[in-house]
Amino acid sequence: VIDTIPYGLNQTTLIEKIKEAVEGERIKDISDARNESGREAQSRVVIELKRGADPAVVENQLYQFTPLQVTFSIHNIALVNRQPRTLSLKEMIRYYIEHRVAVIRRRTEHLLREAQKRKHVLQGLVYAVCSIDDVIRIIRASRTREQAIERLMERSYRIAPASDVEKLISRDPELLEQMKRAAGSEGIRLTRVQAEAIGGMRLIQLVNIEVSRLVDELLALEVKIRDFTDILARRERINRIIKSDCDEMKARLGAGPTGKRLTRIEEAEGDINIESLIQVDDVAVTISHHGYAKRVSLATYRQQGRGGKGIIASSAKDDDFIEHMFVASTHDDLLCFTDLGRVFKIKVYELPDLPRQSKGRALVNLIELRRDEGPDRTVEQQSARTDDGTAPGEQPVGGEAAAGTGAGGGGVGGIRKGESVRAFLAVKNFEEGSNFLTFVSKEGIVKRTPLKDYRNVNKSGLIAVGLKEGDQVLDVTLTTGTDDLLLATSSGMAIRFNEQDVRLMGRSAAGVKGIELAGGNQVIGVVRIPMAPDAEGDLMTAGPASDDKGFCLLTVTARGFGKRTPVDEYRVQPETGKLRSQSRGGKGRVDIGTSERNGRAVAALGVHAADDVVVVSRAGKLVRMPVAEIRCTGRGAQGVRVVSLDDGDNVVAAARVEEENGTGGGEETPA
C-alpha cells in the first residue's frame, strides 16, 4: 500500500506507469494495481503481488522503473571570491564554514567595539561618582553647557582609596588595577564623550543603589569584552559557536521537539542495491523434475526419526516430482548447469518464497531457458573446441565445445531442444575460498576449471563444459586444488582419487575419464574430501575420517535403504606405508550391495554424524533425520532402512542439511 507519492505526481499517472512496467516485463511479480484514494485517504495506491513474490524486491523495482521515486535537480553554483563556481557537497560545506567564520569574526568585532565604547562611558561615570561634590560644583558654577563640559574635562579624577566605589569594583581586581593604573598618581582626565555623559546624569542616579547598578553594569561589560577578545583569539571558540548556531537552526527548522530532519539523504535511484534489502537466511531450495523451483525456510521441515514417513515437500502433479534439493543462503549466487553443458546464474533470493506444499515457479522463466521444436543438438555439434581436455598421451573424450559463440566468445547462441538444468551450485564469492569448479558427468568424465572463469555469466548463459554425444552433466563441486574426489556409481561401486590427477582445463573443455563404468551404469554422486598434509608432507584426510564420528560417505538406494562408511575405507591400504588414494580411470571398490532388496544406488553424499539428511521420494515426500541414526558400516554392506516408502514409490534424491545455527558438523562449504 502506497500512502505517500512524490511532489507533482498524481495517483492515476503512477498506476499507468506501473502497468507499463508490468507489461514491459520490467516488474514481473505484480498481479494488480488500483487507486483507492478518496475522502478517507488522500493517497492510497494498492498493489497486489503474485504468490511467492518478495515485497522488498518489488518495492525497489517500483522505485527504479516507475515515478514512485523521482529526482529533483539543484544547481550547486555559488560565488566564491566573487566568481561563480559549481561546488561539490564537501566544498559547499567548507565554504559555508569559512563564511560563518568571517561572519562571526565581524559580528564579534562589532560587539567588542560597542562594548568598549560603553565601558569608556561607564568608567567616566564611575570617576564622576567618586568626585561627585566637585562635579556638582563645577556644573553649578558654569554659565553654559559647553563651559561645564570644558571644565569637567580639565579636571583630574581618581578612585578614592577605601571608598564605597572601590569596594564595589574590587570584585574584579583586574579591572580595578586597570583603572588605577590608567589614572596614575595625577589622576585621569575625562574625554568629551565621558564629560557629556556626566552632564546627562540625573540626580537620582547618585543614590547608593544606582551607583551599585552602575558598577555592576561595568563589571558585566568587562566580562563580555574579555569573552569577545577570547573568541577573536581562538579558532576553536568560533567552531563551537558555529556548531551551536547549527543546533539552534536544526531545532528551529526541524520537525518535533528534537529537531528531526524533514528530508533524508540517500543513494541515487540508479544505485539501489536490491540485495541489501534481502535478509541473509538459510533456505531449502527445491527444484522438481519438470523444472519448478522455490525456496522454503528450513524451519518448515521438523526433524524426524529414522524410518519416518515424512511430510510432503511439494505437491507432485502430472507425474512431476522433486529432483533437486539443497541448502543455500539467500545472498548466494546460484549457478545452474544444464545437461548439455551450459551454465546460468541467478541469486537465490530471486527464487519464489513459497509454502512447502506449493509446486513452485517454472525455472525457465527465471533463467531464460527455452525449449523449441528444432533438431536435438548436442554440445559437441556446435563449434570448434578450444581445449581438448585430455591428459598427455590420451585420446580426447567427447567432441567439440558448446554452441555457437557470440560476441566476446562467451555467449551461447541458439536454443537446444530438450535441454534441462541438471546441477546447481550455490557460490558465495567467485574470487575467495575455493579455486576450482570440478565437473562430473554421468559417464564418469571429470573436468576441473578455475572458478573465476565463471564469474561473468550473463542471462543467456555460458559454455560450462564440453560433452560427448549422449553424455550429460551429473554434478559440479567446488574444490581447493588438493582435495580428493569420491565418485559413486549406480552399481554400488566407488572410486577415490586426488583432484590433481585431473589437470586444469579451459571453460569449454570436455574432461578426462574419472571411473570406468560397466554397461548401463552411471555415476550417481560426487563427494569432495578435504585433504591436509601430515607431519611428513603426505596428503591425508583432514579431520577424523576413520570412524562414525568423522567424515563418511552416505549411500542411499532406490528401495529406501542406506549406510554410512568412513571415507578412508575407500583408500587403499598397501602392505607397508600409509593409506593412499587410487588413480582415476579405474573401476573403483565396492561401496554398497545392490541386491533386489536394496535396488540400485540413487544417491551418495558426504556427511558428518552431527548433520541432518533429507531424503526425497518420487511421490514428493521428504524425510529429514539425523545422520547419526543411520548405521555406520564397512564397504559392501547392505545398509539399513532409511525411509519407509509406499508401494510403487522410490527414492530419487538425498541431500545433507547443515544446522540452522551454522554449528553443524557437516563438511565445510568451500565457497
Side-chain angles (χ1 to χ4, degrees), residues 118-270:
R118 180 59 180 166
K119 174 185 176 182
H120 182 67
V121 172
L122 292 175
Q123 284 179 331
L125 297 178
V126 169
Y127 286 128
V129 170
C130 292
S131 304
I132 190 61
D133 294 336
D134 292 340
V135 169
I136 293 175
R137 180 174 51 78
I138 291 172
I139 293 174
R140 293 188 63 182
S142 300
R143 296 175 60 85
T144 63
R145 174 183 175 85
E146 185 62 27
Q147 186 181 32
I149 297 299
E150 292 293 338
R151 288 181 178 182
L152 288 174
M153 293 172 59
E154 292 174 355
R155 188 186 185 283
S156 297
Y157 300 86
R158 65 171 55 87
I159 298 176
S163 64
D164 292 340
V165 174
E166 184 185 54
K167 292 179 181 178
L168 291 172
I169 299 177
S170 63
R171 287 179 292 171
D172 190 338
E174 184 178 346
L175 175 61
L176 179 61
E177 181 63 25
Q178 180 187 109
M179 295 180 67
K180 286 184 176 182
R181 188 167 54 251
S185 58
E186 298 181 357
I188 189 172
R189 292 180 182 271
L190 299 178
T191 65
R192 176 170 290 277
V193 174
Q194 290 174 322
E196 290 180 349
I198 292 172
M201 289 180 63
R202 294 175 297 177
L203 290 177
I204 195 64
Q205 292 179 273
L206 299 179
V207 299
N208 288 338
I209 190 170
E210 291 297 324
V211 172
S212 177
R213 289 178 180 176
L214 184 68
V215 174
D216 289 344
E217 183 183 356
L218 177 61
L219 296 179
L221 200 59
E222 180 64 19
V223 172
K224 290 183 179 180
I225 290 173
R226 293 172 186 169
D227 186 55
F228 295 151
T229 304
D230 183 68
I231 290 173
L232 294 174
R234 297 169 55 197
R235 173 61 186 267
E236 57 269 24
R237 286 291 308 279
I238 297 178
N239 291 343
R240 288 203 295 268
I241 292 173
I242 295 175
K243 183 178 183 300
S244 177
D245 290 346
C246 290
D247 290 339
E248 184 275 333
M249 182 167 53
K250 173 183 175 182
R252 177 164 47 88
L253 301 178
T258 60
K260 184 179 179 182
R261 289 187 63 93
L262 297 177
T263 58
R264 293 197 306 263
I265 298 177
E266 299 178 342
E267 290 184 338
E269 177 182 358

Side-chain angles (χ1 to χ4, degrees), residues 331-346:
H331 280 213
D332 288 352
D333 286 307
L334 182 61
L335 295 180
C336 307
F337 300 90
T338 71
D339 55 353
L340 295 185
R342 289 201 293 175
V343 58
F344 298 83
K345 183 174 72 173
I346 61 173

Side-chain angles (χ1 to χ4, degrees), residues 258-328:
T258 60
K260 184 179 179 182
R261 289 187 63 93
L262 297 177
T263 58
R264 293 197 306 263
I265 298 177
E266 299 178 342
E267 290 184 338
E269 177 182 358
D271 296 330
I272 290 178
N273 183 5
I274 295 179
E275 185 171 344
S276 64
L277 299 178
I278 306 302
Q279 181 179 358
V280 178
D281 190 17
D282 286 336
V283 295
V285 178
T286 60
I287 303 173
S288 74
H289 180 69
H290 289 174
Y292 289 88
K294 69 176 185 291
R295 56 184 169 97
V296 183
S297 174
L298 283 181
T300 303
Y301 303 114
R302 65 182 184 273
Q303 191 179 83
Q304 301 180 26
R306 177 173 65 85
K309 295 292 289 185
I311 61 176
I312 298 297
S314 71
S315 57
K317 298 179 180 179
D318 300 328
D319 297 327
D320 196 7
F321 59 89
I322 292 178
E323 190 172 15
H324 302 279
M325 187 275 179
F326 54 90
V327 177

Side-chain angles (χ1 to χ4, degrees), residues 50 65 113 143 157 162 213 334 360 453 620 645:
K50 296 178 180 178
F65 302 126
R113 286 193 301 269
R143 296 175 60 85
Y157 300 86
R213 289 178 180 176
L334 182 61
D453 287 0
L645 300 173

Side-chain angles (χ1 to χ4, degrees), residues 348-392:
V348 171
Y349 65 73
E350 293 181 294
L351 298 176
D353 185 9
L354 297 173
R356 61 178 175 83
Q357 300 92 344
S358 173
K359 181 178 180 180
R361 187 174 299 173
L363 191 63
V364 294
N365 295 329
L366 300 175
I367 63 173
E368 298 186 1
L369 180 65
R370 298 291 188 268
R371 301 180 180 183
D372 64 6
E373 299 303 326
D376 190 358
R377 294 172 292 175
T378 56
V379 173
E380 64 273 17
Q381 295 172 331
Q382 306 305 320
S383 66
R385 194 164 69 199
T386 59
D387 187 341
D388 62 15
T390 60

